Amino acid sequence: MTRVAFIGLGRMGHGMAGRYLDAGFTVAVWNRSRAKAEDLIARGAHWATSPEDAAIDADAVVTMVADDEASRAVWLGKDGAAANMKAGTLAIECSTVSHAHALEMARELTGRGLIYIDCPVTGLPSAAAEGKLTLLVGADAADLEKAEPFLKPLGSTIRHFGSVGTGTVFKLINNLMGAVQIASLAEGLAIAEQAGLDMKLVAEALSTGAVASPQVIRHSPRMAARDFSSASFTAALRHKDAAYAVALAETLLPGVPVSRAAVEAYEQAKAYAPDDDEGRLIEIVSQPKQGLDRLPHSRKMRWLSSRSATMTAPPEGSEHGTENLHRRRSWNDRSADPPAPAWPQRYRADLDRSGEAEGNLRPQGHHQPRRRRHPLPAR
Ligand code: NAP
């Protein structure tokens, strides 16, 4: 019987591994935490003690883990799958990883005589469990042909973009565009909310109008009703995908300002509620400006500056960025005054010197005057 090792049993991987059982493969599974494997074991999967253990004697190893770091760990880490795979075995990366990482894994694994293909997917966890994913493949044609029996249980739509890495390029632009659409939707809905529109009607009109992409159709009613039950794609994953996409874009294009703005929006959503539904971005964006207008000018400025500082000043995941977001979250209940900003230490001296004078709350050097790249032509 054909043997497959499946590594990573999260929301997506669990359903995908089940598909191989349904299709009659001999399946070895490994996940960092064993609990997620129990029902698959009850259905006939063999529990492996490590990725390496799972991969021994497998005809194909399929991975579906969170990100670059997790992927590196399960392929090349201590007890990683690559340690004991026989030459010619298929190494199928279904996780969404960065383009640079996909190419690095291809080099490492083909260097060991394995066949690496990148095969990120689109579709929700329900589609994963039903074998209805769309597979976005980067592989030589001959390698894809060998991999097809292992791809068919996962989904019947296979899009082959070219050589290794190209499936990942497409997946990243797809999810980056999703990030832009969802971030823009959050702002549009927030405007409607703060203007007092009937949000049920707004959501319905957006979902049936000219901007009704599948993302808008999915997220409009959920955001409007603040219904984030059964999260399928989290803020942390959306941020990861958009950031990987922008990293790729920066190697190819002079600038991607809209995409960068979406990454910043998801940086905030990730700091706010990393493992919750990506749609909770609306809770950060939809703030009552009228409430601010009732405040004394100095407090209003401090609040707005704290928002701006969180957007641009503290590095990702920094203590101060997170602190500001937690403060902002408590402001969401609208029962308290806006919280004072938590300034990064390096800005505090400037603030102390300025005495927090109105209009002088921005960290010095924060806003540099714009310089023209090229002098204007003489008239
Ligand atoms: P998930 O539920 O959070 O699962 C993540 C998986 O990665 C879990 O098995 C987790 O193990 C494992 N993992 C994380 N860090 C690890 C590490 N350092 N070492 C080993 N294993 C590690 O995420 P998901 O929604 O299934 O997504 C998995 C991949 O599919 C991601 O790349 C995501 O971008 C992509 N994707 C997701 C969707 C979706 O709708 N959710 C759709 C298309 C593609 P534990 O269980 O022990 O935490």
Side-chain angles (χ1 to χ4, degrees):
M1 235 184 319
T2 316
R3 302 169 74 92
V4 64
F6 200 98
I7 294 169
L9 304 173
R11 276 176 298 262
M12 296 295 286
H14 182 276
M16 292 161 75
R19 289 294 304 159
Y20 287 111
L21 289 171
D22 293 344
F25 286 67
T26 298
V27 186
V29 292
W30 182 85
N31 192 56
R32 190 174 53 174
S33 41
R34 178 178 164 142
K36 292 179 188 170
E38 295 299 351
D39 63 318
L40 294 169
I41 296 167
R43 285 168 62 191
H46 163 71
W47 171 252
T49 55
S50 65
E52 177 184 7
D53 182 33
I56 292 171
D57 291 335
D59 301 301
V61 177
V62 184
T63 52
M64 190 54 162
V65 290
D67 53 18
D68 287 3
E69 188 192 338
S71 165
R72 183 171 288 104
V74 300
W75 287 115
L76 299 176
K78 183 173 170 296
D79 305 326
N84 249 325
M85 287 164 69
K86 53 185 189 288
T89 304
L90 286 155
I92 304 175
E93 178 71 89
C94 288
S95 328
T96 307
V97 294
S98 70
H99 185 241
H101 177 81
L103 296 185
E104 186 196 331
M105 286 300 109
R107 267 193 312 274
E108 282 284 343
L109 299 185
T110 52
R112 295 169 189 231
L114 307 174
I115 301 170
Y116 178 90
I117 77 169
D118 61 314
C119 180
V121 306
T122 56
L124 293 173
S126 53
E130 290 163 10
K132 292 183 178 162
L133 295 171
T134 295
L135 311 177
L136 311 167
V137 175
D140 293 344
D143 292 342
L144 173 57
E145 205 180 314
K146 287 183 197 144
E148 261 168 8
F150 297 93
L151 303 185
K152 290 225 166 96
L154 305 179
S156 53
T157 308
I158 297 176
R159 299 198 195 283
H160 182 206
F161 288 94
S163 59
V164 164
T166 55
T168 297
V169 172
F170 180 81
K171 172 67 183 174
L172 293 179
I173 61 168
N174 186 76
N175 279 28
L176 173 64
M177 290 172 67
V180 169
Q181 288 181 17
I182 299 164
S184 160
L185 173 67
E187 292 187 2
L189 288 177
I191 296 167
E193 268 181 7
Q194 301 302 333
L197 271 60
D198 173 345
M199 293 310 294
K200 211 167 161 214
L201 179 60
V202 168
E204 186 193 316
L206 286 173
S207 302
T208 51
V211 295
S213 70
Q215 294 290 11
V216 169
I217 292 169
R218 173 172 163 72
H219 287 285
S220 298
R222 289 164 67 85
M223 283 184 180
R226 300 293 195 276
D227 169 12
F228 304 117
S229 53
S230 60
S232 58
F233 204 65
T234 64
L237 288 177
R238 181 65 70 181
H239 173 259
K240 179 244 331 177
D241 290 357
Y244 285 169
V246 165
L248 170 63
E250 282 173 346
T251 67
L252 300 168
L253 301 170
V256 280
V258 175
S259 305
R260 280 193 151 282
V263 173
E264 280 182 9
Y266 269 97
E267 221 166 83
Q268 295 188 54
K270 179 181 159 187
Y272 177 60
D275 300 323
D276 284 359
D277 191 279
E278 55 183 334
R280 287 192 70 190
L281 179 59
I282 183 75
E283 292 174 1
I284 301 173
V285 176
S286 192
Q287 300 287 339
K289 187 169 187 294
Q290 300 93 314
L292 292 177
D293 283 346
R294 284 200 297 271
L295 290 169
H297 182 65
S298 60
R299 298 204 62 189
K300 179 175 150 189
M301 285 303 293
R302 256 197 301 165
W303 168 241
L304 292 174
S305 297
S306 77
R307 286 179 65 89
S308 154
T310 313
M311 282 286 287
T312 53
E316 180 192 349
S318 76
E319 180 197 342
H320 301 290
T322 308
E323 195 179 342
N324 272 334
L325 284 159
H326 287 320
R327 284 160 182 249
R328 190 177 318 157
R329 179 163 27 169
S330 70
W331 171 231
N332 270 352
D333 64 14
R334 302 178 190 189
S335 60
D337 278 353
W343 289 104
Q345 192 61 44
R346 64 182 184 281
Y347 299 139
R348 285 213 172 107
D350 294 335
L351 286 171
D352 290 346
R353 265 199 303 281
S354 76
E356 294 199 2
E358 283 180 17
N360 190 23
L361 283 168
R362 249 173 222 293
Q364 285 174 11
H366 203 60
H367 273 310
Q368 298 295 339
R370 276 170 195 251
R371 281 198 208 118
R372 286 186 196 284
R373 278 197 185 168
H374 306 290
L376 288 174
R379 290 189 174 235

